[in-house]
Amino acid sequence: MAWWTWGTWTDVLIDSGRELYFPWQITEGRHLYRDLASFNGPLSAYLNALWFELFGVGLRTLVWANLVLLAVLTLLLHVVLRRIGHLLGATIGVMVFLLLFAFGEYGDVANFNYVTPYSNELLHGLLLSIAAIVALGEFARRPRPLPLFLTGALLGLVFLTKPEVFVAAIFGVGGGAVLLIALNS
């Protein structure tokens, strides 16, 4: 899908400005909330600034970084789907995700995909939320401190993305935690 849709993921003139501008300005020494007004958490802007520092400022850097994050998200989704179903169902689930959502372009503006998202905070928040669910699932399988610590740390990172993603993650992970407590009582 990356090859098939290559270069058609975004409309730079319409809605990619903030995703490029904030990290670029951070690499130039400006600070989020002091010099740059933002309504989202700081994680995505500073993570993308790190990518810009390491690989150069530009849309291509974000595309490659998001492709790597999309691969990790796809792997985590497969893990979750495999744990609740069969291998075939998990494979079909991630194929549907990749074909319809990850690279999909269904409107006049092509910013609603996972490669060049309208808001990187959503991609990062979703990835961290699914990772927290996987960590909690690992704790349920083998109760040890590390997966529980990772669950909490990942939820803390989700808090640094977007409030609505954090609320969803709290309900998802919190619901799982309540079920674990109920099953072990």
Side-chain angles (χ1 to χ4, degrees), residues 8-91:
T8 63
W9 304 305
T10 190
D11 189 332
V12 178
L13 298 176
I14 294 181
D15 274 328
S16 290
R18 182 179 60 90
E19 302 307 313
L20 295 166
Y21 182 73
F22 282 10
W24 168 54
Q25 289 298 298
I26 290 169
T27 65
E28 296 292 319
R30 292 188 177 73
H31 298 278
L32 209 54
Y33 310 118
R34 186 182 76 193
D35 304 317
L36 303 166
S38 178
F39 50 86
N40 291 322
L43 181 77
S44 295
Y46 282 98
L47 178 63
N48 289 341
L50 173 66
W51 302 140
F52 282 180
E53 285 287 338
L54 294 174
F55 304 109
V57 175
L59 181 61
R60 182 167 294 167
T61 299
L62 288 185
V63 164
W64 283 107
N66 288 343
L67 283 170
V68 169
L69 294 177
L70 177 59
V72 173
L73 176 61
T74 303
L75 175 69
L76 290 173
L77 285 172
H78 193 272
V79 168
V80 169
L81 293 173
R82 179 65 182 102
R83 285 187 182 166
I84 62 174
H86 297 292
L87 178 61
L88 178 61
T91 304

